[in-house]
Amino acid sequence: MIRASIPIFLASKSPRRRKLLKQLNLKFKSFSVEMDEKIHPGEKPYIAVLRLSKEKLDLAKSKIKNGVIITADTIVVLDKTILGKPLNKEDAFRILKLLSGRTHIVYTGYSIFNSRNHKTISEYEKTEVTFRELTNEEITDYIKGGSPMDKAGAYGIQDDFGAVFIKKINGCYYNVVGLPLAKFYHALLRIL
């Protein structure tokens, strides 16, 4: 259990990341930072998630002067192509159809900053996820529920129906949700 003598802030609008931090029994406040999460042409996925988490951290530092700040970014990669959040329902269908019956990689980068000791840790994790073959009807029904619209790769492994799309995973389950909890926990201990 982490007992911090400094306030902790999660700079993320992701309800999934808030839930993950609660699993660690962390006392924290959350707020969101708005920025363009554009991937640069030719940028390697792990570089992209690290860069985006650091850029979010820079924005968050302008709002919080005293505390530990946590930021993160998650992307889905299929055949070296980065699949972001769907633009609309048609895009969500296209993405899920691409993932159907195939293995993709989920990358999450996170950054943690402590204003008292001025330490920053930025790390990433990757997890392989294999989907079973999905029917058009399953994809359409899932999209109707609205669940894929705010998620990289248009699905949530922890979600209602999205969970049944997964045939197997190789790596950290929580990384696919949005934060590799064990690795993150040890980074947090190092920074406090």
Side-chain angles (χ1 to χ4, degrees):
M1 169 103 55
I2 293 176
R3 288 178 178 77
S5 61
I6 183 172
I8 297 175
F9 299 91
L10 172 64
S12 173
K13 58 185 168 194
S14 167
R16 294 160 300 282
R17 288 196 183 104
R18 286 195 293 271
K19 190 173 180 182
L20 289 174
L21 290 187
K22 286 178 184 172
Q23 277 185 244
L24 297 177
N25 289 320
L26 277 184
K27 301 280 187 244
F28 67 95
K29 293 181 179 172
S30 62
F31 64 95
S32 64
V33 289
E34 297 299 323
M35 62 172 264
D36 183 7
E37 297 180 9
K38 196 170 215 123
I39 307 297
H40 298 156
E43 190 171 30
K44 293 188 182 317
Y46 76 95
I47 298 289
V49 292
L50 286 172
R51 176 183 56 78
L52 290 168
S53 75
K54 290 174 186 176
E55 287 176 6
K56 290 176 183 179
L57 182 62
D58 288 341
L59 288 171
K61 283 181 184 178
S62 67
K63 296 182 178 188
I64 302 296
K65 299 303 177 198
N66 178 41
V68 170
I69 303 170
I70 300 160
T71 60
D73 193 77
T74 300
I75 59 173
V76 169
V77 179
L78 178 68
D79 297 333
K80 298 183 181 178
T81 300
I82 295 172
L83 304 174
K85 296 174 185 172
L87 304 171
N88 51 42
K89 290 179 180 181
E90 293 77 22
D91 195 36
F93 187 92
R94 178 190 66 81
I95 291 170
L96 290 168
K97 198 71 180 160
L98 281 172
L99 295 175
S100 177
R102 301 182 65 201
T103 298
H104 60 275
I105 301 174
V106 177
Y107 290 85
T108 298
Y110 59 86
S111 292
I112 312 168
F113 171 73
N114 184 331
S115 67
R116 289 194 186 155
N117 59 23
H118 300 284
K119 277 189 189 173
T120 301
I121 294 175
S122 292
E123 299 175 331
Y124 78 96
E125 185 64 75
K126 71 178 192 175
T127 303
E128 286 183 359
V129 180
T130 303
F131 267 31
R132 64 176 176 75
E133 289 287 341
L134 308 179
T135 67
N136 288 349
E137 185 179 22
E138 287 173 321
I139 294 171
T140 302
D141 287 347
Y142 184 58
I143 292 169
K144 281 181 188 170
S147 189
M149 301 317 294
D150 69 334
K151 297 175 183 77
Y155 77 95
I157 194 171
Q158 75 290 345
D159 276 353
D160 40 56
F161 197 62
V164 302
F165 293 171
I166 312 303
K167 185 176 180 180
K168 68 177 181 173
I169 71 168
N170 180 18
C172 177
Y173 164 83
Y174 295 105
N175 185 56
V176 183
V177 178
L179 202 59
L181 273 191
K183 190 171 186 175
F184 169 80
Y185 174 79
H186 289 286
L188 196 56
L189 288 175
R190 293 195 322 265
I191 207 162
L192 289 175

